[in-house]
Amino acid sequence: MAIRLGHTLDREQTRAAMARAKDRAYRTGRAVVEDGAFTDDLDGLTHHAGEDAQ
């Protein structure tokens, strides 16, 4: 799904994205995370990774 939304994740980012998706699913009681919400999560993951490299 991340690739479809324009993101490339490393192993650590993939684990974090899955944890966020699971957390959201449990909190909302829905197994499907909307693209927009997941994109926001991915933006946060990939944006912060770029900041760490600077």
Side-chain angles (χ1 to χ4, degrees), residues 24-44:
R24 184 182 300 271
Y26 286 119
R27 282 187 291 115
T28 63
R30 297 184 63 209
V32 176
V33 177
E34 301 296 326
D35 283 0
F38 196 61
T39 297
D40 291 343
D41 285 343
L42 293 174
D43 287 343

Side-chain angles (χ1 to χ4, degrees), residues 1 3 5 11 16 18 25-26 29 31 33 39 43 45-46 49-50 53:
M1 185 170 177
I3 291 172
L5 296 173
R11 186 176 295 248
M18 291 300 297
Y26 286 119
V33 177
T39 297
D43 287 343
L45 284 173
T46 57

